[in-house]
Amino acid sequence: MSEHGAPLGPIEKSSVHTAGGMRVGATILGAGMALPRTVFTNADLEKLIDTTDDWIQQRTGIRERRVARREYGETTASLGARALQAALDDAGMRPTDLDQIVVATTTPDMPTPATACQIAAMLGAGTIAGFDLNAACSGFVFALNTVDALIRSGVARNVGVVGSDLITRYVDYTNRGRGTSILFGDGAGAFVIAGSDDPDRGVLARAMHTDGSRWPDLFIPRVEEDYPPDFDHEGHGVDINCLHMNGRAVFKFAVSTFSDLIQETLDKVGLRPEDVDHYVCHQSNKRILDAARERFGLPEEKLHINIDRYGNTVAASVGLCFTELKNAGRVRPGQLVMFLGFGAGLTWGSSLWRL
Ligand code: UT7
């Protein structure tokens, strides 16, 4: 057994795990990602809307993003399935070893079935528990907290956690949408999380918040009646099925909330900012991430940024970030990792893990 406890192996699906009074932990056994093949650069956007590569890079840190295309079979479910298969390969496990799949998404391919069901079928995972969870850009972090609790309570043992979003389906690529089209991209990230016989592995502290009164700051209306009564249509019009974002308001909210969230999470366990090995954050805007890094005096290598290549990928971003770190050999058992997300809802949340 390693210093931090060996992960428990796959279980028979029929053998329902119960904690039975024994404390168990949770461990991230594998991580994977999947991206659409089409790269959409700032230069490509310059051809469609009134913007410049310089403006986008200065205001957001983004150089390019990926855009999913149906003709390549790229859907929320198929990208999620590819990411989860990669995470299973990383963990040395098979789809049939999973007893649950939890998918964080804001953009399921259909209202029903849940994306988790489609992914289970695509991978051949058999009859397992599968459900989706929607907390927008905070979705993956909310899912990590949910899955850790399911495992510790004995409800689940080996869980596939997926964040998959094709948000560009709802982006307006005309000048009216230039505040959002520059920002968003598509992708998927996934973890395989399993029970561990070391109760000190898994979530050490968490926070999950929602201020529902702020939903008009970021929403996708399906019918005209979905608009809030006092919505200022100036510059927006009535754009059904388009992402509406009050960029300035969300930016202001994010800069203060993000730092407060880090402090709140550290306070719960009496840690200092420098005690955490990696901050794996939702990639919303490089300026928001830089502000948090500067407030806590963190070195660049502790707060991973990949928004330059993928843009804001909603529920996929945290999984994408961690997978890149893991693939680069930068994560090790025993390290402390704080996952952070915020977005539509408005929602914000953290999940501090001992790996
Ligand atoms: O993940 C979910 C949460 N979402 C976020 O975290 C997004 C948060 N918000 C943001 O990242 C930023 O608000 C944006 C990147 C969306 C916009 O940046 P900003 O610095 O807040 O710009 P702004 O909206 O205040 O606009 C500044 C100027 C305006 O012109 P005037 O009024 O100063 O003449 C805009 O019309 O920039 C103009 N502008 C653009 N110019 C070139 C707006 N969009 C563009 C554009 N290209 N694409």
Side-chain angles (χ1 to χ4, degrees):
M1 192 173 76
S2 73
E3 185 192 342
H4 301 287
L8 300 177
I11 55 162
E12 293 294 323
K13 278 194 200 146
S14 56
S15 66
V16 177
H17 171 76
T18 58
M22 193 185 83
R23 286 178 67 223
V24 295
T27 182
I28 300 167
L29 284 187
M33 58 193 268
L35 293 162
R37 67 169 95 156
T38 308
V39 177
F40 205 53
T41 64
N42 292 349
D44 293 325
L45 277 167
E46 281 177 348
K47 291 177 202 145
L48 291 179
I49 56 170
D50 187 10
T51 194
T52 62
D53 175 42
D54 263 5
W55 192 95
I56 301 172
Q57 289 212 41
Q58 275 174 24
R59 300 286 176 133
T60 69
I62 300 168
R63 286 188 290 115
E64 60 188 42
R65 70 286 293 144
R66 301 295 179 99
V67 176
R69 291 170 66 167
R70 277 196 191 274
E71 58 265 42
Y72 298 145
E74 292 166 344
T75 62
T76 301
S78 72
L79 282 186
R82 273 173 47 202
L84 182 54
Q85 185 59 60
L88 284 161
D89 293 344
D90 187 37
M93 289 167 68
R94 295 159 303 173
T96 48
D97 294 328
L98 298 173
D99 50 69
Q100 293 215 3
I101 295 177
V102 178
V103 179
T105 185
T106 306
T107 55
D109 297 317
M110 297 179 271
T112 194
T115 311
C117 304
Q118 291 178 280
I119 292 177
M122 284 172 177
L123 296 186
T127 308
I128 60 171
F131 63 92
D132 291 3
L133 169 163
N134 179 352
C137 300
S138 309
F140 197 79
V141 174
F142 279 32
L144 292 180
N145 288 332
T146 303
V147 167
D148 175 83
L150 288 172
I151 289 174
R152 286 180 191 271
S153 63
V155 172
R157 184 86 168 259
N158 293 324
V159 186
V161 186
V162 180
S164 184
D165 266 311
L166 267 58
I167 192 69
T168 66
R169 284 173 174 165
Y170 301 99
V171 165
D172 174 1
Y173 287 101
T174 70
N175 270 334
R176 280 223 299 239
R178 70 177 181 160
T180 51
S181 55
I182 51 153
L183 212 53
F184 290 98
D186 301 329
F191 291 174
V192 171
I193 301 182
S196 163
D197 60 6
D198 182 347
D200 295 330
R201 294 183 86 170
V203 174
L204 302 183
R206 70 189 68 75
M208 296 198 281
H209 301 290
T210 301
D211 178 358
S213 71
R214 299 283 305 267
W215 74 261
D217 283 340
L218 199 44
F219 68 104
I220 301 170
R222 293 287 198 180
V223 292
E224 212 171 317
E225 290 73 26
D226 285 339
Y227 282 93
D230 55 350
F231 186 74
D232 177 11
H233 288 272
E234 189 73 30
H236 289 274
V238 179
D239 294 319
I240 300 301
N241 283 322
C242 277
L243 183 68
H244 290 272
M245 182 175 77
N246 184 346
R248 272 181 219 186
V250 178
F251 186 90
K252 228 172 127 189
F253 159 84
V255 167
S256 61
T257 306
F258 198 53
S259 295
D260 293 349
L261 185 59
I262 292 176
Q263 192 60 57
E264 176 191 356
T265 314
L266 292 170
D267 288 346
K268 286 181 186 226
V269 275
L271 289 172
R272 294 162 304 171
E274 59 270 30
D275 295 332
V276 174
D277 295 289
H278 301 288
Y279 291 85
V280 178
C281 309
H282 169 54
Q283 305 285 302
S284 51
N285 183 320
K286 186 171 182 294
R287 288 190 290 149
I288 295 171
L289 299 173
D290 284 343
R293 201 171 51 72
E294 280 158 25
R295 171 167 158 190
F296 293 104
L298 299 170
E300 275 185 20
E301 61 272 16
K302 279 208 175 190
L303 201 151
H304 187 57
I305 292 182
N306 63 7
I307 194 171
D308 53 322
R309 284 166 290 137
Y310 310 129
N312 178 339
T313 55
V314 192
S317 64
V318 167
L320 286 174
C321 253
F322 185 78
T323 303
E324 289 200 333
L325 274 179
K326 192 166 186 295
N327 290 348
R330 291 179 53 197
V331 295
R332 289 185 300 282
Q335 281 185 331
L336 293 175
V337 181
M338 193 185 293
F339 298 99
L340 294 144
F342 61 89
L346 296 177
T347 56
W348 61 108
S350 66
S351 191
L352 175 65
W353 283 65
R354 181 177 297 286
L355 296 181

